[in-house]
Each structure stands twice: as structure tokens, then as C-alpha cells.
């Protein structure tokens, strides 16, 4: 009952910035956790960041800590991933996910996925 649509991906030079958006529709709960994952070719889907729907708590993967920031704008029903100091290794398809269990600890905890948006970082 939750629909997610990512946008904002594209091609950016190393060191640049990009902001991804995840538009959320359908029934949500303050108990939901929202998250961003990424998947590079030939690799598993990797956790990037998570946030409670209320925005009260966040968690970022060590690999992106200090560079990426997850946030939520409840009024706009949108989750964001602000990415700065981008590196070529950040290149991946980025997916937004929602976990009804309230905790995102890996891809298997996600109940709903968006279609993904491609982020390509050139060297």
C-alpha cells in the first residue's frame, strides 16, 4: 500500500553533488522506516542510509557518512538523499525503500521498493 518513486539521478563529476528524491504515496506510519540502498553492476544491493518517517532518527552507512545525508519532508511526502563529495565508487542504481517493521537493517527488511534511479559519477 506504499508506492515509492525515485528521481534526481544523473551524471555528475567526481567531487560534485546530487540530491535524490523519493516521492511517497499510500498509507504510511510513524512506525515505518525509510531508506536508501544502492546496487552497482554485479554487486549486491547495499544499504546507504535510513530514517524514521518522523525524521526523528537517522543512520548512515560508514561508507557514506559525512558525505551523504538522508532527510524527510513529511509535508511533501518525500525522502531525500543529499550526496556530496561524490566518488566514482558511488556509481550505482539508487533505490528508495520502506520497511513496515520500523527497522531497516538490510535489503530483506524492506517491504516496498521504488524503481531506482541511476547515479553515475565520472572521474
Amino acid at each position: 500500500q506504499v508506492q515509492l518513486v525515485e528521481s534526481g539521478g544523473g551524471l555528475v563529476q567526481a567531487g560534485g553533488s546530487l540530491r535524490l528524491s523519493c516521492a511517497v504515496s499510500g498509507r504510511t506510519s510513524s512506525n515505518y522506516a525509510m531508506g536508501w540502498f544502492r546496487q552497482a553492476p554485479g554487486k549486491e544491493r547495499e544499504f546507504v542510509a535510513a530514517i524514521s518517517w518522523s525524521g526523528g532518527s537517522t543512520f548512515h552507512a560508514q561508507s557514506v557518512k559525512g558525505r551523504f545525508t538522508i532527510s524527510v519532508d513529511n509535508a511533501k511526502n518525500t525522502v531525500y538523499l543529499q550526496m556530496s563529495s561524490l566518488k566514482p565508487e558511488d556509481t550505482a542504481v539508487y533505490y528508495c525503500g520502506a520497511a513496515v517493521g520500523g527497522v531497516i537493517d538490510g535489503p530483506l527488511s524492506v517491504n516496498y521498493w521504488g524503481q531506482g534511479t541511476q547515479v553515475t559519477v565520472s572521474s
Side-chain angles (χ1 to χ4, degrees), residues 5-91:
V5 180
E6 303 96 331
S7 63
L11 176 64
V12 64
Q13 293 183 333
S17 299
L18 206 61
R19 187 178 75 165
L20 305 183
S21 298
C22 174
V24 183
S25 62
R27 188 174 185 180
T28 59
S29 169
S30 61
N31 296 129
Y32 284 15
M34 305 297 299
W36 287 97
F37 292 75
R38 63 188 183 186
Q39 189 165 21
K43 296 187 177 181
E44 74 284 355
R45 192 163 296 190
E46 174 191 25
F47 170 77
V48 175
I51 190 170
S52 61
W53 182 247
S54 67
S57 61
T58 63
F59 186 81
H60 298 79
Q62 190 65 39
S63 60
V64 305
K65 192 181 295 291
R67 300 189 300 119
F68 293 8
T69 302
I70 190 171
S71 63
V72 60
D73 187 335
N74 297 112
K76 296 181 179 180
N77 294 314
T78 303
V79 180
Y80 302 97
L81 184 68
Q82 178 65 52
M83 305 184 294
S84 300
S85 301
L86 283 162
K87 306 174 181 179
E89 50 262 47
D90 294 319
T91 295

